[in-house]
Amino acid sequence: MKITDNSTLRKIISLCYLPWVVFKEKILGKGGVRILMFHSVAATHVSGFDNQGVVDINPNYFKRLIRYLVQRYRFISLEELTEMIEHKIKLPSRTLVLTFDDGYANNYTEALPILKEYQLRATIFMPSGFVGKPNYLDTEMINKLVAEDLDIGGHTVNHPVLSRIDQKTAEVEITEGKTELEKVLGKPVNLFAYPKGKLTDYSDKVVQMVEKAGFKAACTTVRGTNTWHTPLFELRRIGIDGSDSFFNFWLKLHGGYDWTGSLSRLKHRLK
């Protein structure tokens, strides 16, 4: 039986884990910056290349979450966070970063107006091979997003799971995805996100390829906070989508699900 984030068992474990997170962050001062990950922002399901399991978040609900967050947290860009980690600059408390994966067109039509209303920046990770395809961002949308101070990050060409393809193909996916986006933008693309992003979806060799390609940092989908000790090419994120109740969103936001990231890392080390 698959235990989902909304399952009772996982919620119970997360509630039990939450006091340790609060103690670590509030008492020990070992908090960090959380990166939130969204995908499609739409009132009805948007079909995509591989979005089984990706649940669209309703624009009204997305706005409700953003309104809640801006009243309680500060926001920085992903570029700013990577510079702080790289140069060991003190990380601000109660701080979040916004990211979107896969480059859905509704990131422009639905999410951007909400981000503009609250003067928020975000990074959108775009597979270059999807630019201009139905339901995805086109070049005009991408450049308008950049003009509004959003960042575009690499996400390969065709969104393959990089650990499941041969090294030569993986290298082409990483480097050509970067080059093609840079042609659209007319400037360097410095940030990357591994497709799917679990620990089993990339490898140490893939991390080396991403760094060699000229990226400055890369995001996973492994849960947790980001501190000076977090590897720049394995930044942690918290996925949020339409299946999350507000309570479940609150749990994720406050670190209730961080134990799943710690468990994933432990299992990966023991293999």
Side-chain angles (χ1 to χ4, degrees), residues 56 75 86 90 112 122 124 129 136 140 156 158 167 179 199 238 248 265:
D56 310 79
F75 289 81
E86 181 180 5
K90 183 178 179 180
L112 178 61
I124 298 175
Y136 291 95
E140 183 179 1
T156 71
N158 299 300
Q167 290 187 9
T179 301
L199 284 169
I238 309 295
N248 213 44
R265 290 188 290 275

Side-chain angles (χ1 to χ4, degrees), residues 215-244:
F215 289 102
K216 294 183 178 179
C219 289
T220 69
T221 59
V222 180
R223 288 168 174 158
T225 58
N226 297 280
T227 69
W228 286 352
H229 304 292
T230 308
L232 275 173
F233 287 86
E234 293 186 86
L235 297 174
R236 299 161 188 169
R237 291 193 291 173
I238 309 295
I240 308 293
D241 63 34
S243 70
D244 287 309

